[in-house]
Amino acid sequence: MNWCCLNGELMPLHKARISPMDRGFLFGDGVYEVMAQIDGRIRAKSLHAQRLQLSLDSIGLDTSIEHVFADVDRLIKKAGFSNAKIYIQVTRGTSSVRNHSFPSIVSPTIFLTVSDFEAVSQMTSKAIVRPDIRWRKNYIKSTALLGNVLLMQEARDSDAQEAILYREEYVTEASTSNVFVIRGQKVVTPPLSDLILPGITRHIVIEIAHNLGISIVEDNIRVDCLQEVDGIFLTSSTRGLMPIVELNPGGSVGNGKLTSIFLALQDAYDEKLRCYD
Ligand code: PMP
């Protein structure tokens, strides 16, 4: 049985109901967070909590993070998974009137789901490279994901696993992950800005690279340089470090083999996650 938690109430997923007047449904007026639990512990929980707070604050939604995370703990206990993928969705709630502006009295809808999850090192993958068609506030983890959805579908239709995005001539991120490139002995990732999500895995990878003495910089990456780099990898909490070996357009990346820098980072990431709170 799949369990969820809706507004503090634990219930089987198939029993959960929200109103069609919920602003998450009508306007995409909400934010979310996704975390991985491995061996019974949520990885980088405090970083995810901070980012959820940032997203909530950015859209002027006032709700108690402590209560949300207490409900997450109850849900995980009920579902009984040791390894799980956890989604937190918070919308501005349901109002009887359909107005773009915020209703004066409304309480948020808080919906939590948990599903079984196997943490595996990612296989080599292909990515398409496309213009970033999304809005300009991608640091907010908004539930309004239509741009990301269309881009990911385009990737799947092209037999690829991700879409790497660029705005003007520069890489931003991918449709569900952050982007890193390896040039010789150096790793480069686009700097934090409104245009990208401050990925938790991105943060951990930067930390690991510093610890390993690998040279890593946050700098703009020209999209036309993607074809000249030695390696590309994408990061996310549910997929870890995902190496990209082929681009469309662009053909194979580097010499088509995983670089020793990538392998060192991936090993250290798996190790680091075991002890990350
Ligand atoms: N960018 C986007 C657009 C994403 O959806 C995700 C996945 N949450 C990421 C980056 C990676 O973030 P994280 O490492 O926190 O999972």
Side-chain angles (χ1 to χ4, degrees):
M1 162 115 60
N2 284 328
W3 287 90
C4 70
C5 182
L6 181 58
N7 297 325
E9 198 184 329
L10 295 177
M11 62 182 80
L13 184 56
H14 68 272
K15 292 260 166 77
R17 298 282 179 273
I18 58 168
S19 164
M21 292 302 282
D22 191 279
R23 292 177 61 89
F25 177 66
L26 294 179
F27 301 113
D29 185 0
V31 296
Y32 76 109
E33 194 53 48
V34 54
M35 310 175 290
Q37 169 178 282
I38 301 165
D39 297 335
R41 274 189 26 237
I42 299 176
R43 302 305 150 153
K45 189 172 172 179
S46 55
L47 294 178
H48 284 286
Q50 272 170 35
R51 189 173 64 187
L52 179 58
Q53 189 69 65
L54 170 74
S55 293
L56 289 166
D57 291 347
S58 304
I59 67 162
L61 223 171
D62 189 14
T63 199
S64 155
I65 294 273
E66 289 75 25
H67 283 136
V68 172
F69 275 84
D71 286 345
V72 166
D73 289 343
R74 286 169 54 229
L75 176 61
I76 288 169
K77 212 165 158 197
K78 183 81 187 170
F81 298 124
S82 166
N83 294 339
K85 197 149 96 163
I86 301 150
Y87 277 87
I88 300 171
Q89 310 265 149
V90 186
T91 77
R92 203 175 305 278
T94 297
S95 157
S96 54
V97 190
R98 189 190 199 284
N99 265 333
H100 281 55
S101 55
F102 304 168
S104 47
I105 305 173
V106 68
S107 61
T109 301
I110 303 173
F111 180 54
L112 315 175
T113 57
V114 60
S115 57
D116 200 4
F117 166 65
E118 203 181 335
V120 282
S121 281
Q122 288 299 312
M123 313 293 284
T124 51
S125 301
K126 293 184 200 168
I128 57 171
V129 182
R130 293 291 184 273
D132 195 337
I133 57 171
R134 306 169 305 159
W135 74 331
R136 301 186 68 97
K137 289 196 173 190
N138 297 298
Y139 64 95
I140 302 172
K141 204 159 169 55
S142 161
T143 56
L145 287 171
L146 189 55
N148 308 57
V149 166
L150 296 178
L151 288 157
M152 180 55 104
Q153 188 56 39
E154 211 182 324
R156 289 296 150 92
D157 290 344
S158 314
D159 205 20
Q161 286 70 43
E162 252 291 22
I164 294 179
L165 312 176
Y166 61 94
R167 220 180 260 273
E168 278 131 38
E169 285 113 65
Y170 295 102
V171 173
T172 50
E173 58 180 342
S175 76
T176 62
S177 48
N178 291 108
V179 178
F180 289 76
V181 303
I182 300 172
R183 274 196 204 117
Q185 294 307 304
K186 191 158 132 190
V187 182
V188 187
T189 191
L192 291 182
S193 73
D194 288 3
L195 302 179
I196 71 170
L197 188 77
I200 307 298
T201 321
R202 174 189 181 281
H203 174 91
I204 298 172
V205 166
I206 292 174
E207 208 172 279
I208 289 171
H210 286 311
N211 291 345
L212 293 178
I214 293 172
S215 152
I216 188 156
V217 290
E218 297 176 63
D219 200 0
N220 293 319
I221 300 169
R222 286 184 66 93
V223 67
D224 51 13
C225 291
L226 287 179
Q227 282 153 37
E228 293 153 21
V229 299
D230 300 304
I232 299 175
F233 63 95
L234 309 180
T235 60
S236 79
S237 300
T238 51
R239 282 166 305 166
L241 278 61
M242 181 164 89
I244 298 297
V245 292
E246 198 180 317
L247 294 176
N248 174 7
S252 55
V253 176
N255 64 9
K257 296 206 178 105
L258 300 183
T259 62
S260 55
I261 289 191
F262 173 77
L263 293 169
L265 287 172
Q266 194 177 44
D267 267 6
Y269 177 76
D270 292 345
E271 192 55 42
K272 178 106 181 169
L273 269 196
R274 268 181 253 286
C275 55
Y276 219 95
D277 269 325

